[in-house]
């Protein structure tokens, strides 16, 4: 029953409901800050939103808030693109060629559970305090999620489809390029979805440790200068951009995987 | 009079499993003539599909041999077409992409294979759906794509593994009727697996009745009824009755 009711809700009604729910949340927040003790440790949404817009023209540190976002995004994209590319290649190779799996899987399985931020001190030692050390951390965050998913994708290829392709005359190379690769695309997208989320979370952590710009830096700088409102501006920016990245990934997936049920 | 197309000579198949060897095909000797529609009919889970897979080359026989057109079969190959129960269509390819897949991997030029694929798409009645993806089609239409894809490689023999098993009764009748029309227009040697006696009598030139696992050929029936056949014709019903009484009960 519930399922049918939910399905019946149109796109516009959903947006409408989202706007109302956020508005009500902000109202309660504002009222709580104004009339209860919450106000001692929290600033209200009006103040946060005000500073957010002010910081779009008046810099925090050297940059406006949108430039901080661009800084963070550029770090994420560099690490994410390199990590994804290598992850897809390694995952597929491990999935398709058993010797590759036997060789790389053990190392990968030990590195995988280490949270990317645990590498921050080492990466500073190896790559210095500049940009490369941040790329490295984000690379690790993206790489492990995608390798696992690409690997699982290859392993999940329907053997009947491989049989059908061979029956139709495909050789080994053609089976790989025309059956194995396309059928693991949905898995790879699931991995990219997880990877973009953890990359974004990781960049914030990396910038909180060592940076002079970026949204993570905005948050940590807010703490140093005792400005709760600046911390909140940073957090809001992290939330909005993270949400936008997830929506963008889903949109790309729906475009590229129209054939797949997941994408519909 | 007609040429022997497929010869199964003392074929047996044993699977090695963790719980020991499982003998699925006992000892089957069977010939299929050129352009004959042979139905393998037997109870569920009796090894019909395994026998078909041995004939198509998807599985290797344990003992004995399968020859098609004089060549021993030991691996999959494009001289044989297979229509699968679960369709096995490539979901990321359109109807056109699926049907032209065989000629494409075998290196046929684009214009040539497009023309050929279009011919078979029209033959199975899917004109206008060339650019649809399989998940946009009904079960019956998906199986038509499967038939067109198998035909488009122009194989010597076609293997059909309960292709209509998942369809609703109404669609199933329609597909049986259309399959005969397609086959009469483009004659091929067909081996068709089913556990539905009505389907068997409707389609077959000859029915090989298989026993329970490990399967062997119990008996064979020539079906000489004129086509198109009538499901309630007295002779049709008599054959149906007779063959039903011969077949082992499924476990």
């Amino acid at each position: 029953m519930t399922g049918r009711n939910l399905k019946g809700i149109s796109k516009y009604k959903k947006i409408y409901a989202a706007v109302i729910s956020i508005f009500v949340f902000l109202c309660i927040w504002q009222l709580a800050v104004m009339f209860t003790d919450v106000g001692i440790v929290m600033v209200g949404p009006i103040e946060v939103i005000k500073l957010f817009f002010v910081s779009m023209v008046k810099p925090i540190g050297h940059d406006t808030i949108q430039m901080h976002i661009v800084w963070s995004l550029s770090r994420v994209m560099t690490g994410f693109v390199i990590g994804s590319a290598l992850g897809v290649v390694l995952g597929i190779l491990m999935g398709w060629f058993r010797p590759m799996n036997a060789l790389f899987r053990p190392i990968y399985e030990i590195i995988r559970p280490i949270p990317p931020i645990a590498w921050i001190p080492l990466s500073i030692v190896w790559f210095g305090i500049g940009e490369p050390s941040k790329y490295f951390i984000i690379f690790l965050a993206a790489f492990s999620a995608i390798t696992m998913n690409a690997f699982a994708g290859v392993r999940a290829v329907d053997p009947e489809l491989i049989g059908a392709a061979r029956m139709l005359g495909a050789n080994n190379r053609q089976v790989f390029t025309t059956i194995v690769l396309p059928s693991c695309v949905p898995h790879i997208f699931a991995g990219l979805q997880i990877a973009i989320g953890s990359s974004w979370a990781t960049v914030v952590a990396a910038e909180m440790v060592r940076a002079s710009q970026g949204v993570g830096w905005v948050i940590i700088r807010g703490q140093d200068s005792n400005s709760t409102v600046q911390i909140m501006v940073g957090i809001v920016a992290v939330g909005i951009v993270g949400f936008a990245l997830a929506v963008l990934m889903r949109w790309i997936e729906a475009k590229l995987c129209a054939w797949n049920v997941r994408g519909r | 009079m007609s040429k022997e197309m497929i010869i199964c000579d003392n074929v047996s198949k044993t699977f090695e499993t963790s719980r020991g060897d499982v003998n699925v095909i006992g000892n089957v000797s069977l010939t299929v003539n050129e352009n004959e529609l042979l139905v393998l009919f037997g109870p569920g889970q009796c090894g019909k599909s395994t026998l078909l897979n041995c004939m198509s080359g998807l599985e290797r026989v344990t003992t004995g041999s399968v020859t098609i057109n004089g060549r021993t079969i030991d691996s999959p190959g494009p001289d044989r077409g297979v229509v699968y129960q679960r369709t096995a269509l490539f979901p990321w390819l359109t109807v056109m992409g699926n049907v032209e897949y065989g000629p494409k991997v075998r290196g046929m030029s684009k214009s040539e294979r497009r023309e050929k694929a279009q011919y078979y798409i029209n033959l199975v009645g899917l004109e206008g759906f060339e650019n649809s993806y399989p998940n946009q089609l009904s079960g019956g239409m998906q199986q038509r794509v499967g038939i067109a894809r198998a035909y488009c490689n122009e194989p010597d023999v076609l293997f059909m593994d309960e292709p209509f098993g998942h369809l609703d009764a109404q669609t199933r009748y329609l597909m049986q009727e259309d399959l005969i029309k397609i086959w009469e227009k483009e004659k091929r040697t067909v081996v068709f697996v089913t556990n539905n006696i009505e389907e068997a009598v409707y389609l077959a030139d000859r029915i090989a009745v298989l026993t329970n696992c490990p399967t062997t050929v119990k008996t064979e029936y020539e079906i000489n009824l004129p086509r198109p056949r009538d499901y309630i014709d007295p002779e049709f019903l008599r054959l149906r009755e007779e063959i039903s009484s011969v077949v082992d009960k499924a476990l």
Side-chain angles (χ1 to χ4, degrees), chain A residues 53-233:
Chain A
F53 282 111
V54 168
S55 62
M56 287 170 90
V57 283
K58 192 168 158 280
I60 301 175
H62 294 294
D63 294 296
T64 54
I65 188 72
Q66 61 269 35
M67 280 317 290
H68 285 297
I69 292 173
V70 168
W71 265 107
S72 298
L73 275 176
S74 74
R75 288 167 182 152
V76 163
M77 284 309 147
T78 309
F80 177 76
V81 167
I82 300 171
S84 303
L86 280 176
V88 165
V89 171
L90 182 67
I92 287 173
L93 290 178
M94 285 198 323
W96 191 240
F97 300 105
R98 300 205 171 255
M100 289 292 286
N101 188 34
L103 267 177
F104 287 102
R105 192 71 187 281
I107 306 172
Y108 170 72
E109 286 295 342
I110 291 170
I111 294 176
R112 186 166 73 106
I114 305 170
I117 50 171
W119 293 94
I120 290 176
L122 263 188
S123 77
I124 290 174
V125 173
W126 289 344
F127 299 102
I129 54 166
E131 295 303 303
S133 70
K134 293 175 192 70
Y135 299 155
F136 176 69
I137 307 292
I138 295 150
F139 162 82
L140 285 173
F143 175 76
S144 58
I146 290 175
T147 306
M148 202 60 237
N149 275 270
F151 173 80
V154 174
R155 286 298 165 91
V157 176
D158 184 352
E160 195 166 58
L161 294 186
I162 294 178
R166 287 199 203 284
M167 210 69 224
L168 288 163
N171 59 30
N172 277 339
R173 186 183 54 78
Q174 288 167 325
V175 166
F176 183 72
T177 55
T178 64
I179 307 297
V180 176
L181 290 186
S183 67
C184 56
V185 168
H187 281 85
I188 290 173
F189 264 101
L192 292 175
Q193 190 79 253
I194 298 167
I196 194 82
S198 61
S199 298
W200 183 242
T202 305
V203 80
V204 173
E207 287 168 352
M208 286 172 77
V209 173
R210 187 77 235 194
S212 47
Q213 68 290 98
V215 283
W217 177 85
V218 169
I219 294 172
I220 209 73
R221 195 76 196 91
Q223 186 194 12
D224 293 346
S225 60
N226 244 333
S227 165
T228 321
V229 64
Q230 186 178 325
I231 295 175
M232 291 301 298
V233 164

Side-chain angles (χ1 to χ4, degrees), chain A residues 158 160-171 174-175 178-180 182-183 258-261 264, chain B residues 56-58 76-78 80 82 84 86 88-92 101-102 105-106 133 135-136 149-150 153:
Chain A
D158 184 352
E160 195 166 58
L161 294 186
I162 294 178
R166 287 199 203 284
M167 210 69 224
L168 288 163
N171 59 30
Q174 288 167 325
V175 166
T178 64
I179 307 297
V180 176
S183 67
W259 55 271
N260 189 45
V261 202
R264 313 190 119 234
Chain B
S56 68
L58 278 168
R80 288 145 275 153
V82 180
Y84 300 81
R86 296 190 300 130
L89 296 177
F90 307 129
W92 53 87
Y101 183 87
V105 293
R106 293 164 65 214
Y133 286 96
N135 69 356
Q136 298 170 317
R149 182 177 70 174
N153 241 357

